[in-house]
Amino acid sequence: MPQSRNDHNSEGGSTRDFIREQINKDLASGSATKIVTRFPPEPNGFLHLGHAKSICLNFTIAAEYGGQCNLRFDDTNPVKEDQLFINAIQEDVEWLGFAWSGEPRYASDNFELLYEWACHLIRTDKAYVDDLTADEIRDYRGTLTVPGTESPYRNRSAEENLELFNQMRDGHYENGSKVLRAKIDMASGNINLRDPVIYRILHSSHPRTGDKWCIYPTYDFAHGQTDSIEFISHSLCTLEFSDHRPLYDWFIENLPVPSTPHQYEFSKLNISHTVLSKRRLTQLVTEGFVAGWDDPRMPTIAGLRRRGVPSDAIRSFINELSISKSEGIVEQAMLDSAIRENLNETSLRKMGVLKPLKIIIENYPENHLEKMEVPNHPGKPQFGSRQVLFGRELWIEQDDFMEDPPRKFFRLGPGREVRLRCAYFITCEEVIKNSSGDIVELRCTYDPDTRGGNAPDGRKVRGTIHWVSVDAAVDAEVRLYSHLFNSEAPGQEGNYLEDINKSSMEILKDCKIEKSITDLKPGSPAVQLERLGYFCADICSKENNLVLNRTISLRDSWAKINQ
């Protein structure tokens, strides 16, 4: 079910979605005086489009209500975290156009205080050290229909628990040999309240604290308390955390925290023909199904940026989504439409030939080149124009010629006349083939009276094709991307890896692009190659080795292919 637009008033919040309704009520009642939100990623991977929805929501709401939004890293698992991910996350948030309040914050900044609060729970008989293994804890926890069983270590004294917990901190025990658990209710209908683990032993160096700690708080224990430390007024997260909210509240109620934040859940983003699971994206990277987190086929912010997708297009796409508690799948076409709409307005036009076929204009003077004035954007004269060299030998697309064309093929064929974009009318006179019967060259003639693309006698041609002069062409490698997965819901009927589209990237060598394309550098805005799509320079592109990524085609061909 497609998700609908979220209308809101940027001058004071809206009553059109439940989060803003709640904020308006809290401000009116005085239970909140300043709106403080946060974006709290775990630095164990790159951000993806699902994170973009959370980023836009948290930062936009803070701005709408004159509050602040923190960037906080919930860095509680050193086994999976890395400074690489921390740096990438900051770059992605900034690239999307948002600025966090102050310096980035880290859960690890509060490790000492979190440890003291864990000791507080032990002293008040609300936490204990458990010697059960991970498998045993899982078995003792019970099921949705069967209550859990209390650990035999649950009733240790506070003094013994404090001593064991201190020994855990001092490194006396191996990984997995002991954990600290909250003492809540093993018969609770919410499994998250059945004595959850709040500290575990991990002899692993932390990206920020090094080897200072060998015990680390769990995400559930650190998250809400860090919200409290930062005086977060509205803790916004996705629906899978709704069952964790009672635990979030239990910690807030049973610890001497400085503030009492509240958690609100909204539906996460699901997009067709892709996966937005960090676990699955990590598997795609680590097992070599893609070339890295920034592979242009990946739904990561870094991958989209490398593919040339503008940050404005992503924000426009996110702004069209509803903020609700209803799960649904957004069609990939909705994202593609936002990208095309943005690029159509902003991209300069160029000419390039991806699958070149040479033509020789036999009645054009040899060794002569002339400059053709070509608009940089046909709908925006303020973008100006450029001069493109025209000569006797040109490159055109192989697909723009057919030796035996059908009736509705309006491009070039034997004896047919077409218009060369912003140049002349040409007619194909002869087809040259190699010994294998492949077409390698066309011999044509041109009408010198049609310069600029119009005939003085008023005759019309049905087809206009693009071209590049042989004498003024730049060689390029072009990479064409399509959906990484064939099915709308990868993995719905089996292993999601079996749904991978093995044709998701096509590499074209020896493409011919007009020389002005050399101004295109990695990170520059994408340009439109007329009739072909939008393209950007890849990060591996060099001065003498141009590599272009197709950001998106001019129209949605996927639906036609899969009808």
Side-chain angles (χ1 to χ4, degrees):
M1 179 177 67
Q3 294 191 14
S4 60
R5 176 177 177 161
N6 170 46
D7 295 315
H8 63 268
N9 177 357
S10 62
E11 295 183 353
S14 167
T15 57
R16 301 285 182 94
D17 73 61
F18 76 97
I19 290 177
R20 289 176 172 86
E21 284 181 358
Q22 183 65 50
I23 291 174
N24 290 339
K25 290 178 182 177
D26 292 342
L27 290 171
S29 68
S31 61
T33 56
K34 178 182 180 181
I35 303 306
V36 183
T37 61
R38 81 287 175 269
F39 174 60
E42 297 176 71
N44 57 4
F46 278 49
L47 301 181
H48 54 65
L49 276 167
H51 295 113
K53 181 178 180 181
S54 179
I55 291 169
C56 290
L57 178 63
N58 278 285
F59 280 93
T60 300
I61 280 181
E64 285 178 6
Y65 290 92
Q68 72 179 58
C69 183
N70 300 339
L71 173 63
R72 180 179 80 234
F73 295 97
D74 279 335
D75 53 344
T76 60
N77 186 358
V79 175
K80 295 184 177 181
E81 295 163 359
D82 194 280
Q83 187 64 41
L84 167 70
F85 300 136
I86 293 173
N87 295 341
I89 289 169
Q90 293 185 68
E91 182 180 2
D92 289 347
V93 173
E94 290 180 323
W95 180 77
L96 281 172
F98 298 106
W100 52 85
S101 176
E103 294 296 319
R105 294 164 168 83
Y106 299 84
S108 57
D109 292 337
N110 307 304
F111 276 176
E112 196 66 50
L113 182 55
L114 291 171
Y115 176 82
E116 290 301 323
W117 282 347
C119 292
H120 174 85
L121 290 178
I122 294 174
R123 294 187 192 98
T124 55
D125 197 29
K126 292 175 181 175
Y128 62 97
V129 173
D130 196 353
D131 293 1
L132 294 179
T133 66
D135 289 339
E136 289 171 334
I137 290 174
R138 193 178 302 110
D139 292 339
Y140 275 54
R141 188 173 289 135
T143 67
L144 291 174
T145 57
V146 177
T149 302
E150 292 185 358
S151 167
Y153 305 99
R154 194 175 195 263
N155 295 314
R156 280 172 163 159
S157 67
E159 292 76 14
E160 183 181 2
N161 282 316
L162 280 172
E163 181 179 358
L164 290 171
F165 192 43
N166 281 321
Q167 290 173 355
M168 287 168 59
R169 175 176 179 166
D170 292 340
H172 289 258
Y173 303 108
E174 295 180 355
N175 291 355
S177 60
K178 295 182 187 299
V179 295
L180 183 69
R181 298 176 67 178
K183 186 188 291 188
I184 307 179
D185 182 3
M186 290 301 294
S188 173
N190 186 330
I191 292 180
N192 292 297
L193 296 179
R194 296 181 186 177
D195 291 9
V197 173
I198 60 176
Y199 263 90
R200 68 277 201 219
I201 302 170
L202 290 173
H203 289 276
S204 181
S205 184
H206 188 279
R208 298 190 71 249
T209 62
D211 297 322
K212 180 179 179 181
W213 295 88
C214 62
I215 58 170
Y216 292 93
T218 59
Y219 177 87
D220 276 334
F221 183 66
H223 182 73
Q225 281 56 262
T226 308
D227 281 348
S228 173
I229 292 167
E230 295 179 14
F231 288 85
I232 301 301
S233 63
H234 295 78
S235 177
L236 310 179
C237 58
T238 48
L239 283 176
E240 66 262 35
F241 291 99
S242 60
D243 287 342
H244 293 249
R245 188 183 345 124
L247 179 57
Y248 182 103
D249 293 340
W250 187 89
F251 286 131
I252 295 295
E253 292 166 3
N254 287 278
L255 288 169
V257 292
S259 69
T260 55
H262 296 279
Q263 176 177 299
Y264 303 94
E265 306 90 17
F266 60 93
S267 60
K268 66 180 179 180
L269 176 60
N270 297 295
I271 302 179
S272 67
H273 298 98
T274 192
V275 294
L276 293 179
S277 155
K278 192 181 289 185
R279 179 182 59 82
R280 289 182 169 184
L281 295 177
T282 300
Q283 185 178 13
L284 291 175
V285 173
T286 57
E287 296 186 13
F289 292 98
V290 293
W293 286 98
D294 66 344
D295 187 304
R297 293 167 293 178
M298 289 280 276
T300 56
I301 305 301
L304 293 165
R305 181 167 64 245
R306 182 174 176 182
R307 187 155 61 89
V309 175
S311 57
D312 286 351
I314 295 177
R315 291 199 306 272
S316 295
F317 165 68
I318 297 297
N319 287 340
E320 291 293 317
L321 303 176
S322 64
I323 303 300
S324 71
K325 290 182 177 287
S326 300
E327 294 281 15
I329 296 178
V330 176
E331 291 296 328
Q332 180 78 36
M334 184 175 174
L335 172 61
D336 291 348
S337 177
I339 296 170
R340 288 191 184 97
E341 183 176 344
N342 181 281
L343 291 176
N344 181 55
E345 290 294 312
T346 61
S347 294
L348 299 178
R349 272 47 172 175
K350 305 288 182 182
M351 287 195 290
V353 174
L354 303 188
K355 298 179 180 179
L357 173 62
K358 180 181 282 190
I359 67 171
I360 296 178
I361 304 176
E362 295 185 302
N363 63 332
Y364 192 87
E366 292 190 26
N367 301 319
H368 178 66
L369 294 172
E370 59 182 310
K371 295 177 180 178
M372 299 295 180
E373 199 76 19
V374 181
N376 287 325
H377 193 303
K380 295 184 179 294
Q382 65 270 28
F383 282 22
S385 61
R386 66 194 187 283
Q387 292 184 330
V388 177
L389 290 178
F390 182 90
R392 189 170 189 265
E393 297 186 4
L394 306 173
W395 299 110
I396 66 167
E397 291 287 350
Q398 294 176 15
D399 291 345
D400 282 336
F401 174 82
M402 291 187 70
E403 192 171 15
D404 185 20
R407 184 171 61 89
K408 291 188 177 182
F409 183 83
F410 300 121
R411 287 162 281 170
L412 198 58
R416 286 196 172 198
E417 187 176 48
V418 299
R419 177 189 293 106
L420 294 178
R421 170 94 167 113
C422 295
Y424 295 103
F425 288 8
I426 63 167
T427 302
C428 178
E429 308 291 352
E430 183 181 1
V431 179
I432 308 298
K433 299 181 180 181
N434 61 19
S435 58
S436 300
D438 301 320
I439 298 172
V440 295
E441 188 179 289
L442 303 178
R443 299 296 175 93
C444 300
T445 57
Y446 86 115
D447 182 348
D449 293 330
T450 58
R451 193 180 195 279
N454 293 300
D457 60 7
R459 74 181 186 277
K460 304 293 184 182
V461 293
R462 297 290 297 272
T464 299
I465 64 176
H466 60 277
W467 53 274
V468 178
S469 170
V470 169
D471 293 303
V474 173
D475 290 334
E477 175 186 308
V478 174
R479 300 170 181 177
L480 307 179
Y481 298 101
S482 57
H483 298 153
L484 186 56
F485 294 93
N486 288 310
S487 62
E488 181 176 347
Q492 190 174 57
E493 299 181 359
N495 186 342
Y496 82 103
L497 295 174
E498 295 175 358
D499 288 332
I500 288 180
N501 174 17
K502 294 180 173 58
S503 302
S504 59
M505 179 173 68
E506 180 184 4
I507 298 178
L508 304 177
K509 303 283 189 178
D510 301 321
C511 302
K512 310 296 181 181
I513 316 292
E514 68 171 76
K515 271 191 175 177
S516 65
I517 203 78
T518 55
D519 294 335
L520 196 63
K521 307 298 181 186
S524 299
V527 300
Q528 183 191 117
L529 293 184
E530 297 196 32
R531 302 175 64 225
L532 299 175
Y534 298 95
F535 296 79
C536 72
D538 187 70
I539 57 175
C540 67
S541 186
K542 307 296 182 185
E543 184 173 349
N544 297 316
N545 182 28
L546 182 63
V547 179
L548 299 180
N549 295 326
R550 184 174 67 184
T551 305
I552 198 166
S553 60
L554 292 180
R555 59 185 61 85
D556 184 9
S557 58
W558 184 261
K560 296 179 182 178
I561 292 172
N562 287 276
Q563 281 179 347

